[in-house]
Amino acid sequence: MLYQVFVFFVSSWLKFADAFAKRAKAAQLLRMKRTATAVWNGSLKEGTGALSAPGGALNATPYSFGSRFASGAGTNPEELIAAAHAGCFAMALSAALGEAGFKPDRLECTAEVSLDNVPPKGWTVTASHLVLTAKIPDIAAGKFDEIAAQAKANCPISRLLNATITLAAKLA
């Protein structure tokens, strides 16, 4: 009898541990973390920096005061935000179109991020304007506008930005 209780206890505990492990693994699948590293050397105007990310898109990519506030070589944070917003929106729109039964042939999105000096706060990202050209077979203009607006509102980068986000979308 004691043996049966022991077997029952161990069996129950193993089932619990297995369920807990599966739940923990599922929770990890629902959370993503991405990283990037900035290294800055020197003063603001004369210094230089490099941006890197494990995915390989940024590999000691240079940035500087000139690339941010003038037309110097290299990238800048606002350009990277624009790329992130355009890419995220295009994926969100593709997903929303798929849920509505449409398959896009091509979605081309450009994001224009505005960096303005807003007293007394100082330099602030104030807006991101998305410009989209889409080729989607068999979609009505009204349905396209509805789905594009939904994707703009629900794109994770749109939700991240504390800025006005506008969209100019057209079917090709």
Side-chain angles (χ1 to χ4, degrees), residues 34-51:
R34 300 291 186 253
T35 62
T37 302
V39 176
W40 186 264
N41 298 300
S43 67
L44 175 62
K45 289 191 177 181
E46 290 81 27
T48 58
L51 301 168

Side-chain angles (χ1 to χ4, degrees), residues 115-130:
L115 179 67
D116 298 308
N117 195 349
V118 181
K121 294 188 279 185
W123 291 100
T124 304
V125 172
T126 58
S128 180
H129 178 65
L130 299 168

Side-chain angles (χ1 to χ4, degrees), residues 1-168:
M1 170 93 170
L2 184 59
Y3 176 75
Q4 290 173 329
V5 170
F6 176 75
V7 169
F8 175 78
F9 174 75
V10 169
S11 174
S12 297
W13 187 86
L14 288 174
K15 286 178 186 176
F16 170 78
D18 185 53
F20 181 79
K22 286 179 183 175
R23 190 170 298 137
K25 186 174 182 178
Q28 286 177 338
L29 294 175
L30 297 176
R31 182 186 317 154
M32 293 184 292
K33 291 186 179 185
R34 300 291 186 253
T35 62
T37 302
V39 176
W40 186 264
N41 298 300
S43 67
L44 175 62
K45 289 191 177 181
E46 290 81 27
T48 58
L51 301 168
S52 298
L58 300 171
N59 186 8
T61 302
Y63 75 112
S64 65
F65 184 87
S67 69
R68 189 171 195 184
F69 295 104
S71 58
T75 191
N76 58 71
E78 293 73 32
E79 183 177 74
L80 298 173
I81 291 168
H85 199 194
C88 184
F89 170 74
M91 291 179 77
L93 179 56
S94 180
L97 287 164
E99 289 172 6
F102 299 98
K103 183 178 178 186
D105 286 343
R106 180 177 167 85
L107 302 173
E108 182 177 329
C109 183
T110 301
E112 179 182 273
V113 169
S114 298
L115 179 67
D116 298 308
N117 195 349
V118 181
K121 294 188 279 185
W123 291 100
T124 304
V125 172
T126 58
S128 180
H129 178 65
L130 299 168
V131 178
L132 170 71
T133 301
K135 185 174 180 188
I136 307 161
D138 304 320
I139 192 168
K143 188 66 173 173
F144 167 70
D145 290 341
E146 173 191 329
I147 294 171
Q150 171 193 4
K152 177 185 74 83
N154 293 320
C155 160
I157 300 299
S158 290
R159 292 192 312 254
L160 170 72
L161 298 173
N162 186 17
T164 301
I165 299 170
T166 57
L167 167 67

